Amino acid sequence: MSLVSSLVYRRRSRLFGRLVQEALALYGMEVPAAAEIGPGLTVFHRGFGTVLHPYTTLGANVTLYNGVTIGRADPWVPQEASAMRRVVLEDGVVVCAGAKIVCKDGVLTVGAGTVVGANAVLTRSTGPGEIWAGVPARRVGVRAGIAVGRGSA
């Protein structure tokens, strides 16, 4: 496990939480304590420039590259007036460098095993095992050999 991944898991510590948040900030990462992070998170390139919204859920074995943003599509609207409820990345999702996953209404779900390409801007939910790229992101393929459902082999 990388140093950055270790820090992400320790950000909720009662004793060292604030210190860990500051250490992550030195790497240019913002991971609020409210964000839910599953086991096996991999962060490449020390996650420089990565920002997660507090209402983010990452499943198991999610991979994040540098410059990833996960959050609201309407930051100018006060939080209490926003219709965004949560962004969920299911198990095995890969978010490549510079990608933005932004939600405006309800819950945006990135399906298990999905890849979001470099510099893509994803604004809607995806199915499992899909490949999304572009601005705005669109489905450009399906990953071969990826189980389609949660818990399937």
Side-chain angles (χ1 to χ4, degrees):
M1 181 183 299
S2 72
L3 172 63
V4 174
S5 295
S6 297
L7 289 172
V8 168
Y9 286 115
R10 288 175 174 77
R11 76 194 188 292
R12 290 183 173 178
S13 165
R14 297 185 119 206
L15 187 57
F16 297 112
R18 181 67 180 153
L19 182 62
V20 168
Q21 289 287 12
E22 292 302 320
L24 285 169
L26 290 174
Y27 283 109
M29 274 191 89
E30 184 176 328
V31 184
E36 299 173 14
I37 312 291
L41 174 67
T42 302
V43 179
F44 282 105
H45 308 294
R46 296 187 178 142
F48 284 111
T50 297
V51 177
L52 304 184
H53 190 277
Y55 300 148
T56 299
T57 300
L58 303 182
N61 303 313
V62 168
T63 300
L64 301 178
Y65 283 84
N66 54 303
V68 168
T69 299
I70 300 174
R72 290 176 46 204
D74 58 356
W76 56 88
V77 175
Q79 178 69 41
E80 54 278 354
S82 176
M84 180 239 178
R85 292 200 337 250
R86 182 158 292 282
V87 177
V88 178
L89 277 64
E90 294 181 342
D91 300 346
V93 169
V94 177
V95 185
C96 296
K100 312 302 180 220
I101 300 173
V102 291
C103 177
K104 189 170 185 177
D105 297 315
V107 177
L108 186 151
T109 302
V110 180
T114 292
V115 175
V116 180
N119 295 315
V121 179
L122 183 67
T123 59
R124 59 187 178 151
S125 294
T126 74
E130 297 179 343
I131 302 169
W132 286 70
V135 179
R138 65 188 192 292
R139 193 178 99 161
V140 296
V142 177
R143 292 178 72 185
I146 298 297
V148 175
R150 284 187 108 136
S152 18

